[in-house]
Amino acid sequence: MFHGKVLVAQGGGPTAVINQSMVGAVLESRKFRSVELIYGAVHGVRGILDEDFYDLTQETTHNLEMVANTPSSALGSTRDKPDLKYCQEIFKVLRAHEIGYFFYTGGNDSSDTVRIVNDEARKAGYDLRCIHIPKTIDNDLVENDHTPGFPSAARYVSQAFMGINLDNAALPGIYIGVVMGRHAGFLTAASALGKKFSDDGPHLIYMPERTFDIDQFIQDVREVYNRLGRCVVAVSEGIHDASGEPIISKLSQEIERDAHGNVQLSGSGALADLLTQKVKDALNVTRVRGDTLGYIQRSFVGCVSDVDQHEAREVGEKAVQYGMFGDRDGSVTIKRTGHYSVDYELVPLEAVAGKTRTMPDAFISAAGNDVTDEFRMYLRPLLGSGMPDAHRLRPNKVPKILAAGS
């Protein structure tokens, strides 16, 4: 068992339960005499470079528990994507502060950062345990059945589309909702879990695992609208054409890119507006509306899955246990067992780092515009307890009098 200080950090997009993982790691670390102090890096790896740390040893257990139940990243986060040179600087700081355990909660980029830092420590012969704690609302980490943060975001998306469907049924028209997900459509697919009756929306669901054809999209919307007199559509922000070009690039005149050179998909309502206009022009329907769910999906306070909370806490605890007892580096993963229960395994960092998981074919309908019952069975237990339900009046119609005699 190593001796020294613990450093915890949070990276990437905030989630509703990422603080559970941080608090799980902090409280579990306090149980070990080999731990001298516990630090938290402010704004992830950027805080490490700046030596901007909180001394979490001084936090009360009560306050940590309250923070654990609060969405978003309590330590702050960063979108920095460290390269080798950046990670070498991280290692210098860890070494200077005599950090013995490094626990970093994040997605695939964060796991790659942990891998590089771990390699640098080994090359230098420095005793450092490096553990990646999984987190992402996109649910796109390989080796995992699902990842903390996704179930709560999926709960929000399913309830949002439940409400959207009710609104659309009351005032019929065409509605297009854009959901987060660059390469993986899990979150967009979650919109299907709000359906109760066969004619409920979303009637069409488009995920980035399938090629998006604008003409076929218009045809699909027309068919549903002609049949039901309304249509609710869920679309992933990452939909693309056969060449892999994002649809937003094809439709928009101005393309914004992020710090990594990727087309900026989140943060604007451009895709919803563009698809809405396409539908208006093609179908000559006046009531066509579009929304972008945007950042609200990630840290919505009133819509957190209790299953997600418990598992996020446990992956933080397991990270410390693996580091302390197992003297191993790696990435904590969630494995599903039984009807619904989970186990946790530590896999090599290189098995997860920089890789992207997408939806299995078995989760996507043959037409590519809906999900299957297998996906519904996969997601339902993750949404947690107390999911609301939507009901409707039975159509016991009164016979017409004036119309009957005409």
Side-chain angles (χ1 to χ4, degrees):
M1 186 178 295
F2 288 1
H3 288 74
K5 302 168 187 173
V6 165
L7 176 64
V8 297
Q10 300 170 316
T15 79
V17 298
I18 190 172
N19 290 331
Q20 290 282 358
S21 297
M22 182 267 290
V23 171
V26 171
L27 294 182
E28 192 70 14
S29 295
R30 287 182 175 182
K31 298 176 182 178
F32 294 87
R33 292 183 179 180
S34 59
V35 173
E36 299 167 11
L37 292 166
I38 304 169
Y39 293 163
V42 180
H43 293 295
V45 289
R46 172 55 54 184
I48 299 178
L49 251 60
D50 295 339
E51 297 183 75
D52 190 2
F53 299 150
Y54 290 160
D55 183 355
L56 299 179
T57 322
Q58 301 184 45
E59 270 289 0
T60 65
T61 301
H62 175 67
N63 194 51
L64 283 170
E65 290 291 359
M66 290 194 294
V67 169
N69 288 316
T70 304
S72 191
S73 302
L75 285 170
S77 190
T78 179
R79 281 299 190 186
D80 285 8
K81 186 176 182 179
D83 55 14
L84 176 59
K85 184 177 179 181
Y86 195 121
C87 289
Q88 289 171 338
E89 294 302 314
I90 290 175
F91 173 63
K92 286 181 184 177
V93 175
L94 298 183
R95 191 173 194 174
H97 284 266
E98 299 180 334
I99 302 298
Y101 305 92
F102 177 35
F103 301 111
Y104 193 20
T105 307
N108 19 34
D109 288 342
S110 299
S111 64
D112 202 34
T113 297
V114 177
R115 178 188 64 82
I116 300 172
V117 171
N118 183 51
D119 288 345
E120 290 302 303
R122 286 181 177 177
K123 285 191 291 185
Y126 179 76
D127 288 341
L128 177 67
R129 287 276 75 89
C130 295
I131 307 286
H132 167 245
I133 302 172
K135 172 245 47 162
T136 172
I137 67 165
D138 291 334
N139 202 35
D140 62 352
L141 285 183
V142 300
E143 299 285 342
N144 286 270
D145 176 78
H146 57 279
T147 46
F150 165 68
S152 293
R155 184 182 174 103
Y156 172 81
V157 170
S158 65
Q159 291 188 42
F161 273 88
M162 184 187 297
I164 289 163
N165 173 69
L166 293 169
D167 189 287
N168 185 261
L171 290 171
I174 297 171
Y175 174 90
I176 301 170
V178 177
V179 184
M180 280 184 171
R182 181 180 293 272
H183 300 297
F186 289 99
L187 200 54
T188 306
S191 61
L193 271 291
K195 298 179 67 168
K196 180 178 177 69
F197 299 97
S198 60
D199 59 346
D200 279 343
H203 308 101
L204 299 167
I205 303 172
Y206 298 93
M207 295 146 286
E209 285 82 0
R210 295 291 182 268
T211 296
F212 184 86
D213 181 272
I214 293 177
D215 293 335
Q216 183 62 52
F217 164 69
I218 296 297
Q219 184 176 324
D220 291 347
V221 174
R222 179 185 287 112
E223 188 279 325
V224 172
Y225 185 77
N226 289 343
R227 176 164 51 88
L228 299 177
R230 67 190 190 95
C231 183
V232 175
V233 184
V235 178
S236 171
E237 64 183 8
I239 53 171
H240 57 83
D241 65 13
S243 70
E245 182 182 0
I247 296 300
I248 190 171
S249 299
K250 294 173 66 72
L251 299 181
S252 181
Q253 298 295 321
E254 298 180 5
I255 302 299
E256 183 181 350
R257 296 185 180 273
D258 63 19
H260 308 307
N262 298 315
V263 174
Q264 186 68 49
L265 302 178
S266 301
S268 78
L271 182 59
D273 293 342
L274 294 165
L275 291 176
T276 297
Q277 193 58 53
K278 282 284 184 182
V279 170
K280 282 183 178 178
D281 294 343
L283 271 59
N284 195 29
V285 175
T286 55
R287 189 175 177 78
V288 183
R289 302 290 184 268
D291 280 330
T292 301
L293 272 62
Y295 292 157
I296 197 170
Q297 299 159 89
R298 298 201 301 213
S299 302
F300 193 79
V301 175
C303 200
V304 183
S305 162
D306 52 357
V307 171
D308 199 17
Q309 286 182 314
H310 300 153
E311 292 177 355
R313 173 64 71 94
E314 288 190 307
V315 292
E317 293 174 349
K318 291 301 294 185
V320 173
Q321 292 171 10
Y322 281 124
M324 300 292 181
F325 291 129
D327 284 347
R328 297 164 59 194
D329 308 299
S331 179
V332 180
T333 59
I334 298 177
K335 307 292 185 180
R336 185 181 301 221
T337 62
H339 174 64
Y340 187 74
S341 60
V342 297
D343 199 1
Y344 305 101
E345 294 180 12
L346 191 71
V347 302
L349 288 163
E350 55 270 21
V352 177
K355 297 179 174 64
T356 301
R357 176 194 183 206
T358 56
M359 285 184 66
D361 290 341
F363 287 178
I364 305 173
S365 69
N369 58 11
D370 202 351
V371 299
T372 63
D373 287 340
E374 188 169 342
F375 173 76
R376 293 182 177 89
M377 292 291 290
Y378 162 81
L379 180 58
R380 183 60 191 86
L382 306 184
L383 300 181
S385 59
M387 278 288 289
D389 210 351
H391 301 273
R392 59 173 68 172
L393 296 171
R394 295 186 176 92
N396 299 308
K397 298 213 172 179
V398 176
K400 295 179 182 179
I401 296 178
L402 296 179
S406 59

